[in-house]
Every structure is written in C-alpha cells, then in structure tokens.
Amino acid sequence: MAERVTVFEVGPRDGLQNEPRLIATADKIRLIDGLSACGFSHIEAVSFVSPRWVPQMADAAEVLAGIRRKTGVSYAALTPNLQGFERALAAGADEVAVFASASEGFSQKNINCSIAESIERFRPVLLGAKAAGLPVRGYVSCVTDCPVDGPVAPGAVADVAEALIGLGCYQLSLGDTLGSATPATTGRMLEAVLPRVPAARLAGHFHNTRGHALQNIALCLDLGLRTFDSSVGGLGGCPYAPGAEGNVATEAVVALLHDRGFATGIDLVALAGLSRFARSLRRPA
Ligand code: HMG
Ligand code: MG
C-alpha cells in the first residue's frame, strides 16, 4: 500500500486573509464545502484574530456556522490568544493553531509582542484546548528569512519549535513566510530542528514567492516529513510580510506526491475545478 502524506489545506485562511476586497461569507463557505468534497482530512478554515488587524477574517464564526461538515474532516482555526481560542471553541472549530515566529521583528509586526510573550500567551490556549479536548497545532514563521530582521538562525527556529511542542502542540508547521527559502537554507534549518523535534511531528508550510516551494517539499520528503500545508489555486500571502506570494498551490503539491507514489486521498480532478473557483475570488470587485 502507498505511504500516506497529509496535505493540510490552508487556502480559506492563509489564501484569503490577504485579499483586499472583502469576500462574501457565502463564497468562503462554498470554497470550504468544495474542499471537503475533494478528500482533505484537514482544512484550515478561518482565523479568530483581531478584525482590526485582519478584516477579511471578521466573519470567521459565520463561516464555521455555514459550512457542511464532512465526517472525518478536521476544520481548523488560527488563534493568537485566549480570546481567539474562546471564539474558536464557541464557533465549533475541531482544532486550533497557535502561531509564533522564529524572528523578533516578525513577531512584533504580526502579533504585537515578543517571541517569549507569545509563548506565554499560548499557555492558556493550550490549557483551554486540553480541557475542551481540542488538538492544537503550532506554527513557526520565518524559518529561514524574516521580512524585518533578514536571515534567521536555524537554532532560533529549533528553540521556538521545541518550545511549542513542549507546550503540547501535536504538530509543528515550519513556515517559510516570505517564500524565499531554498533547498540549501531549508536543509540547514531542518538540520537544526530535526534532532530536537522528530520529522513525524513536523509539517512544511512553504509560500512560493521565488518558485522553490516544490523543491523544498521534495527535500522535506527525503528527510521524513509527511505533512505539507498548501492553498488551492496558490492563493495567499501574509498581510505582515509585504511582497510574500501565496502558499504553494495544493494541486501542484498533490501532483508531486502522487508522482512520487504517495497516497493523499485527494481527488485531483475535483481539485482542478475548485482551483478555478478559488482563483476567481481574487477578482477585483
Ligand atoms: P493587540 O492589539 O496587541 O491586542 O493585538 P490586545 O490584546 O491589546 O487587544 C486589542 C484589541 O483587539 C481589543 O479590542 C481586543 O478585544 C481585540 P478593543 O478593546 O480595542 O476593541 N482582540 C481580539 N479581537 C478578536 N479576536 C481576538 C482578539 N485579540 C484581541 N483573538 C493580536 C494582538 C494578536 C490580537 C493582533 O496582533 C492580531 O490579531 N494579529 C493577527 C495577525 C494575523 O492574523 N496574521 C496573519 C496570520 S499568521 C500567518 O499568516 C503566518 C502563517 O501562515 C505561517 C507562515 O506563513 O509563516 C501562520
Ligand atoms: Mg502562511
């Protein structure tokens, strides 16, 4: 039997959060329902962040209330603090994600606090999630380069990754926020992280600004990682990382994985149709 790789679809959140035009709640719901039909096991649907910081995600609760939930699919939400976690819990998220940075500059810019302060903010989220029986995923952003501080030391990534796993995150997603990682810089980063967090607990999250994402994923596969984040249609970018392009396109990741003989459970034909719809959401109003 083919070995399984999990493709963690983040398009409805990472893909749409940066769109300047407010997308209709009904279109977000249609996108998520379409993804559910394609065979994903994990869909990051929304974030419960400050609507002043990210207006596009202000309707997160309405989105979660409107989707048709498919059995076996985990609908995830990004939560930067306890307030976000409580909103996610009330809205029925199946899992939540806390997000830290390996660089101080991006931490301040993205969540308005230092790395150490962010870890302290996540502690009550992890406790609340444990009490509620919700799995928590962790992100580390800027794993090779930071839009504010420049190149990031691999040891700094390993420190934050280990801290989030130590808090109780079931998995740690390594974020190439800028999409500037190369196989060389990704390799050096993983050399520092893998002795401290096993490959089975890691995911790769590559934006594709410089077109290296698939090569980086191929390297991660060789090093034992078996979960990758991506956005249908290659949507996205981060509002606090100017110039960063979208996540690597899910359809390209699934094609690469199938080509290499891995199973994903994802229907590429259905995904191609949905990718056209996803890209149409970027049209100016
Ligand atoms: P702050 O201003 O320092 O927060 O923002 P605060 O605690 O001082 O609160 C200020 C106001 O925000 C208060 O409202 C709070 O109630 C409200 P006011 O009294 O002024 O009316 N507030 C909230 N409202 C709703 N939901 C919440 C929440 N928290 C506070 N959860 C904060 C700190 C973290 C909230 C802010 O910086 C923020 O929302 N940042 C979000 C940034 C973001 O979403 N970035 C994109 C996602 S990360 C990403 O894309 C990277 C990733 O993809 C991986 C990668 O690619 O590297 C994950
Ligand atoms: Mg991202």
Side-chain angles (χ1 to χ4, degrees):
M1 236 172 71
E3 194 185 347
R4 185 98 181 176
V5 169
T6 301
V7 179
F8 203 122
E9 172 62 41
V10 298
R13 193 281 302 171
D14 207 351
L16 297 186
Q17 69 183 7
N18 202 32
E19 277 302 301
R21 178 181 71 95
L22 277 186
I23 294 163
T25 305
D27 282 336
K28 295 176 183 174
I29 291 170
R30 184 175 156 195
L31 178 65
I32 296 167
D33 286 348
L35 290 164
S36 299
C38 287
F40 293 92
S41 57
H42 293 79
I43 301 172
E44 196 172 79
V46 290
S47 63
F48 289 94
V49 298
S50 161
R52 279 195 214 175
W53 284 61
V54 185
Q56 188 65 257
M57 292 287 125
D59 60 352
E62 289 81 0
V63 170
L64 280 187
I67 58 173
R68 267 197 314 271
R69 287 169 187 258
K70 190 176 159 194
T71 309
V73 181
S74 181
Y75 297 94
L78 218 59
T79 56
N81 52 20
L82 192 56
Q83 189 175 343
F85 170 72
E86 282 166 355
R87 290 175 64 210
L89 188 62
D94 296 311
E95 66 176 88
V96 296
V98 293
F99 50 108
S101 171
S103 68
E104 289 293 350
F106 186 73
S107 185
Q108 290 292 348
K109 215 166 169 187
N110 194 41
I111 50 174
N112 205 24
C113 64
S114 69
I115 298 169
E117 283 164 344
S118 75
I119 304 285
E120 287 314 308
R121 275 186 196 174
F122 300 153
R123 230 176 263 288
V125 174
L126 269 291
L127 284 175
K130 193 172 179 193
L134 252 57
V136 183
R137 197 173 194 234
Y139 279 100
V140 182
S141 285
C142 301
V143 294
T144 60
D145 301 276
C146 168
V148 185
D149 300 345
V152 174
V157 183
D159 289 345
V160 179
E162 196 174 52
L164 291 181
I165 290 287
L167 278 186
C169 293
Y170 78 89
Q171 186 177 68
L172 199 282
S173 179
L174 297 162
D176 171 22
T177 317
L178 274 180
S180 56
T182 63
T185 57
T186 301
R188 282 198 290 278
M189 179 271 294
L190 286 170
E191 229 171 79
V193 174
L194 281 170
R196 293 166 66 180
V197 182
R201 306 278 298 270
L202 294 172
H205 177 108
F206 294 97
H207 287 255
N208 202 23
T209 313
R210 299 218 187 135
H212 287 137
L214 289 180
Q215 286 170 270
N216 293 333
I217 288 173
L219 174 71
C220 290
L221 280 170
D222 291 344
L223 293 172
L225 276 69
R226 292 292 180 267
T227 303
F228 297 97
D229 304 351
S230 58
S231 274
V232 59
L235 296 182
C238 174
Y240 302 103
E245 289 284 324
N247 295 94
V248 61
T250 304
E251 46 276 32
V253 175
V254 173
L256 169 85
L257 292 168
H258 290 181
D259 191 47
R260 286 192 153 213
F262 292 104
T264 64
I266 294 160
D267 175 349
L268 259 181
V269 177
L271 189 61
L274 192 64
S275 169
R276 281 191 290 279
F277 171 64
R279 279 184 273 118
S280 77
L281 295 177
R282 307 191 89 170
R283 274 197 313 252

Short mmCIF file of all heavy atoms in Angstrom, two decimals, residues 13-14 205 207 247, ligand 2:
data_model
loop_
_atom_site.label_atom_id
_atom_site.label_comp_id
_atom_site.label_asym_id
_atom_site.label_seq_id
_atom_site.Cartn_x
_atom_site.Cartn_y
_atom_site.Cartn_z
N ARG A 13 -7.97 30.18 4.86
CA ARG A 13 -7.42 31.10 5.85
C ARG A 13 -6.20 31.84 5.29
O ARG A 13 -6.23 33.04 5.01
CB ARG A 13 -7.04 30.32 7.13
CG ARG A 13 -6.74 31.21 8.34
CD ARG A 13 -5.36 31.82 8.35
NE ARG A 13 -4.29 30.83 8.28
CZ ARG A 13 -3.02 31.16 8.10
NH1 ARG A 13 -2.66 32.43 7.97
NH2 ARG A 13 -2.08 30.23 8.02
N ASP A 14 -5.11 31.14 5.04
CA ASP A 14 -3.89 31.80 4.58
C ASP A 14 -4.09 32.38 3.18
O ASP A 14 -3.56 33.45 2.85
CB ASP A 14 -2.72 30.80 4.57
CG ASP A 14 -1.38 31.46 4.76
OD1 ASP A 14 -1.31 32.70 4.75
OD2 ASP A 14 -0.38 30.73 4.93
N HIS A 205 5.47 24.36 5.49
CA HIS A 205 4.49 25.40 5.08
C HIS A 205 5.25 26.39 4.22
O HIS A 205 5.87 27.33 4.72
CB HIS A 205 3.92 26.04 6.35
CG HIS A 205 2.95 27.16 6.12
ND1 HIS A 205 1.59 27.04 6.35
CD2 HIS A 205 3.13 28.44 5.71
CE1 HIS A 205 0.99 28.19 6.10
NE2 HIS A 205 1.90 29.06 5.70
N HIS A 207 5.50 29.21 1.26
CA HIS A 207 4.95 30.16 0.29
C HIS A 207 5.86 30.05 -0.95
O HIS A 207 6.95 29.48 -0.87
CB HIS A 207 4.91 31.57 0.89
CG HIS A 207 3.82 31.70 1.92
ND1 HIS A 207 2.66 32.36 1.68
CD2 HIS A 207 3.71 31.20 3.19
CE1 HIS A 207 1.87 32.29 2.75
NE2 HIS A 207 2.48 31.58 3.69
N ASN A 247 0.69 30.66 -0.81
CA ASN A 247 1.22 29.33 -0.48
C ASN A 247 1.41 28.57 -1.78
O ASN A 247 0.77 28.86 -2.79
CB ASN A 247 0.20 28.55 0.36
CG ASN A 247 -0.05 29.18 1.70
OD1 ASN A 247 -0.97 29.96 1.87
ND2 ASN A 247 0.79 28.85 2.65
MG MG B 2 1.49 31.27 5.69
#
